[in-house]
């Protein structure tokens, strides 16, 4: 009977040794995995700290930008509220497509605005044109710059070349 008990004890010791080895191996694996997860957690904590710092910096920058925007809007309102005075030094260049000297009639100022991309130029040009009436002067300019080509011809106003006159707006 002692032999049976001895064999049983040896079998149990072998089984215990095998199971213990497996449990120790599993414990080492779980401990290594826990160490790796703790390292990851530390990295994520550092990312979180960095994100908090960046968020605070962004809030500070946003506050500065909002203050600058408010200042710029105030400047814009102030400038918009100021009356606009024409610059007395600004000279108007006139385009002429025929001789003014020697023609009969009054010299007229006609503004032409190129309003479409089809026109060869953009913006407003000022023309000095002679004619008996304002309509005749306007028609002469309109013949050169028709509306279907993207031009808007303004009203003809008498032009005194010796004195400055305000430009007539197209339309």
């Amino acid at each position: 009977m002692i032999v049976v008990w001895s064999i049983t004890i040896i079998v149990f010791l072998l089984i215990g040794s095998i199971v213990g080895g497996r449990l120790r191996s599993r414990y080492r694996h779980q401990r290594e995995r826990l160490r790796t997860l703790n390292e990851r957690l530390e990295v994520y904590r550092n990312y979180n700290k960095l994100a908090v710092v960046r968020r605070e910096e962004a809030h500070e920058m946003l506050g500065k930008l909002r203050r600058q925007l408010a200042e710029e809007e105030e400047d814009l309102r102030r400038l918009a509220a100021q009356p606009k005075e024409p610059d007395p030094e600004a000279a108007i260049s006139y385009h002429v497509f025929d001789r003014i000297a020697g023609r009969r009639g009054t010299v007229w100022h006609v503004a032409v605005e190129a309003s479409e991309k089809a026109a060869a130029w953009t913006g407003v040009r000022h023309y000095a044109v002679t004619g008996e009436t304002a309509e005749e002067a306007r028609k002469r300019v309109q013949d050169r710059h028709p509306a279907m080509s993207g031009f808007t011809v303004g009203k003809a106003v008498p032009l005194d070349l010796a004195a400055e006159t305000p430009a007539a707006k197209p339309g």
Side-chain angles (χ1 to χ4, degrees), residues 7 9 16-17 21 30 42 48 68 73 87 95 100 102 108 111 118 130 146 155 157 161 164-165:
I7 292 177
I9 290 175
S17 174
Q30 291 296 339
E42 189 61 32
N48 187 37
Q68 285 178 347
E73 286 176 343
D87 185 8
H95 294 268
I100 293 178
W108 299 90
T130 56
K155 296 179 181 176
V157 293
L161 293 175
E164 293 231 11
T165 58

Side-chain angles (χ1 to χ4, degrees), residues 116-138:
E116 292 184 9
K117 293 180 181 179
W121 46 271
T122 58
V124 177
R125 282 190 181 176
H126 303 278
Y127 285 88
V129 181
T130 56
E132 294 292 327
T133 64
E135 282 305 312
E136 178 188 345
R138 187 175 188 280

Side-chain angles (χ1 to χ4, degrees), residues 36-102:
T36 304
L37 290 174
N38 280 332
E39 287 174 359
R40 273 186 171 167
L41 183 61
E42 189 61 32
V43 168
Y44 290 135
R45 283 183 182 141
N46 289 337
Y47 281 148
N48 187 37
K49 289 176 186 176
L50 181 61
V52 167
V53 168
R54 294 277 167 86
R55 186 179 67 220
E56 289 173 3
E57 289 173 353
H59 281 292
E60 288 176 14
M61 180 63 78
L62 183 61
K64 287 178 186 177
L65 291 174
R66 284 184 176 154
R67 285 189 296 277
Q68 285 178 347
L69 179 63
E71 290 171 3
E72 294 297 326
E73 286 176 343
E74 181 62 32
D75 288 345
L76 185 62
R77 276 191 223 100
R78 186 176 38 81
L79 289 173
Q82 291 178 350
K84 293 174 180 57
E85 298 176 13
D87 185 8
E89 299 295 320
I92 298 175
S93 298
Y94 291 98
H95 294 268
V96 180
F97 52 79
D98 61 0
R99 286 189 192 181
I100 293 178

Side-chain angles (χ1 to χ4, degrees), residues 15-34:
I15 290 173
S17 174
I18 291 171
V19 169
R22 287 192 174 188
L23 287 175
R24 277 189 299 278
S25 172
R26 186 170 178 160
Y27 171 75
R28 282 191 302 267
H29 176 72
Q30 291 296 339
R31 192 175 55 194
E32 182 64 28
R33 189 166 180 223
L34 180 62

